[in-house]
Short mmCIF file of all heavy atoms in Angstrom, two decimals:
data_model
loop_
_atom_site.label_atom_id
_atom_site.label_comp_id
_atom_site.label_asym_id
_atom_site.label_seq_id
_atom_site.Cartn_x
_atom_site.Cartn_y
_atom_site.Cartn_z
N ARG A 368 131.23 47.13 32.64
CA ARG A 368 131.32 48.55 33.01
C ARG A 368 131.32 49.45 31.77
O ARG A 368 130.65 50.48 31.72
CB ARG A 368 132.54 48.82 33.86
CG ARG A 368 132.41 48.41 35.29
CD ARG A 368 133.53 48.97 36.18
NE ARG A 368 134.87 48.71 35.64
CZ ARG A 368 135.59 47.62 35.89
NH1 ARG A 368 135.10 46.68 36.63
NH2 ARG A 368 136.80 47.49 35.36
N GLU A 369 132.08 49.02 30.75
CA GLU A 369 132.15 49.81 29.52
C GLU A 369 130.81 49.82 28.83
O GLU A 369 130.41 50.86 28.27
CB GLU A 369 133.25 49.29 28.61
CG GLU A 369 134.65 49.53 29.12
CD GLU A 369 135.73 48.82 28.35
OE1 GLU A 369 135.42 48.08 27.36
OE2 GLU A 369 136.91 48.99 28.70
N GLY A 370 130.09 48.71 28.85
CA GLY A 370 128.76 48.65 28.27
C GLY A 370 127.80 49.58 28.98
O GLY A 370 126.99 50.27 28.37
N GLU A 371 127.90 49.56 30.33
CA GLU A 371 127.05 50.49 31.11
C GLU A 371 127.36 51.94 30.81
O GLU A 371 126.47 52.77 30.70
CB GLU A 371 127.22 50.18 32.59
CG GLU A 371 126.61 48.87 33.03
CD GLU A 371 127.01 48.44 34.45
OE1 GLU A 371 127.76 49.19 35.09
OE2 GLU A 371 126.59 47.35 34.86
N LYS A 372 128.65 52.25 30.66
CA LYS A 372 129.05 53.62 30.33
C LYS A 372 128.46 54.04 28.98
O LYS A 372 128.02 55.17 28.82
CB LYS A 372 130.57 53.76 30.34
CG LYS A 372 131.19 53.80 31.69
CD LYS A 372 132.68 53.95 31.58
CE LYS A 372 133.36 53.91 32.93
NZ LYS A 372 134.83 54.01 32.80
N ARG A 373 128.54 53.12 28.01
CA ARG A 373 128.01 53.42 26.67
C ARG A 373 126.50 53.66 26.73
O ARG A 373 125.97 54.58 26.11
CB ARG A 373 128.33 52.29 25.70
CG ARG A 373 129.72 52.30 25.14
CD ARG A 373 129.91 51.33 24.02
NE ARG A 373 129.64 49.95 24.37
CZ ARG A 373 130.50 49.10 24.93
NH1 ARG A 373 131.71 49.54 25.19
NH2 ARG A 373 130.16 47.88 25.24
N GLU A 374 125.81 52.84 27.52
CA GLU A 374 124.35 53.00 27.68
C GLU A 374 124.02 54.33 28.34
O GLU A 374 123.09 55.03 27.92
CB GLU A 374 123.76 51.86 28.49
CG GLU A 374 123.71 50.53 27.77
CD GLU A 374 123.25 49.38 28.64
OE1 GLU A 374 122.73 49.64 29.73
OE2 GLU A 374 123.42 48.22 28.21
N LEU A 375 124.78 54.70 29.37
CA LEU A 375 124.54 55.98 30.04
C LEU A 375 124.83 57.15 29.09
O LEU A 375 124.07 58.12 29.08
CB LEU A 375 125.41 56.10 31.30
CG LEU A 375 124.98 55.24 32.49
CD1 LEU A 375 126.02 55.32 33.59
CD2 LEU A 375 123.63 55.69 33.00
N ALA A 376 125.89 57.03 28.31
CA ALA A 376 126.20 58.11 27.37
C ALA A 376 125.12 58.24 26.33
O ALA A 376 124.71 59.35 25.94
CB ALA A 376 127.56 57.85 26.73
N ALA A 377 124.58 57.10 25.85
CA ALA A 377 123.51 57.14 24.85
C ALA A 377 122.26 57.73 25.46
O ALA A 377 121.56 58.54 24.82
CB ALA A 377 123.24 55.73 24.33
N GLU A 378 121.93 57.38 26.69
CA GLU A 378 120.75 57.93 27.39
C GLU A 378 120.91 59.46 27.60
O GLU A 378 119.98 60.22 27.39
CB GLU A 378 120.53 57.22 28.72
CG GLU A 378 119.32 57.72 29.48
CD GLU A 378 118.00 57.43 28.76
OE1 GLU A 378 117.97 56.51 27.91
OE2 GLU A 378 117.02 58.12 29.04
N LYS A 379 122.11 59.86 27.98
CA LYS A 379 122.40 61.30 28.17
C LYS A 379 122.22 62.05 26.85
O LYS A 379 121.64 63.13 26.83
CB LYS A 379 123.83 61.45 28.68
CG LYS A 379 124.18 62.85 29.05
CD LYS A 379 125.59 62.90 29.65
CE LYS A 379 125.98 64.32 29.99
NZ LYS A 379 127.31 64.38 30.58
N GLU A 380 122.67 61.47 25.77
CA GLU A 380 122.51 62.09 24.45
C GLU A 380 121.04 62.15 24.05
O GLU A 380 120.59 63.19 23.51
CB GLU A 380 123.32 61.32 23.38
CG GLU A 380 123.26 61.91 22.01
CD GLU A 380 123.81 63.31 21.91
OE1 GLU A 380 124.57 63.76 22.80
OE2 GLU A 380 123.49 64.00 20.91
N ARG A 381 120.26 61.12 24.33
CA ARG A 381 118.83 61.16 24.03
C ARG A 381 118.13 62.26 24.84
O ARG A 381 117.30 62.99 24.30
CB ARG A 381 118.18 59.78 24.35
CG ARG A 381 118.41 58.75 23.30
CD ARG A 381 117.53 57.49 23.49
NE ARG A 381 117.86 56.78 24.71
CZ ARG A 381 118.80 55.83 24.80
NH1 ARG A 381 119.49 55.52 23.73
NH2 ARG A 381 119.00 55.22 25.92
N LEU A 382 118.49 62.39 26.11
CA LEU A 382 117.89 63.44 26.94
C LEU A 382 118.26 64.82 26.47
O LEU A 382 117.46 65.74 26.46
CB LEU A 382 118.30 63.26 28.41
CG LEU A 382 117.66 62.08 29.13
CD1 LEU A 382 118.29 61.89 30.52
CD2 LEU A 382 116.17 62.29 29.26
N ARG A 383 119.51 65.00 26.02
CA ARG A 383 119.95 66.29 25.50
C ARG A 383 119.16 66.65 24.25
O ARG A 383 118.67 67.77 24.13
CB ARG A 383 121.45 66.23 25.17
CG ARG A 383 122.02 67.58 24.70
CD ARG A 383 123.42 67.47 24.15
NE ARG A 383 123.48 66.70 22.92
CZ ARG A 383 123.08 67.09 21.70
NH1 ARG A 383 122.58 68.32 21.58
NH2 ARG A 383 123.17 66.33 20.64
N LYS A 384 118.97 65.70 23.36
CA LYS A 384 118.19 65.96 22.16
C LYS A 384 116.75 66.24 22.48
O LYS A 384 116.08 67.08 21.86
CB LYS A 384 118.30 64.78 21.17
CG LYS A 384 119.66 64.66 20.53
CD LYS A 384 119.72 63.48 19.57
CE LYS A 384 121.07 63.41 18.90
NZ LYS A 384 121.17 62.24 18.01
#
Side-chain angles (χ1 to χ4, degrees):
R368 283 192 309 272
E369 289 172 359
E371 290 169 359
K372 284 180 184 179
R373 281 190 300 275
E374 287 175 13
L375 287 173
E378 182 64 22
K379 186 176 179 180
E380 181 62 18
R381 280 192 294 275
L382 288 172
R383 184 190 64 76
K384 288 180 179 179

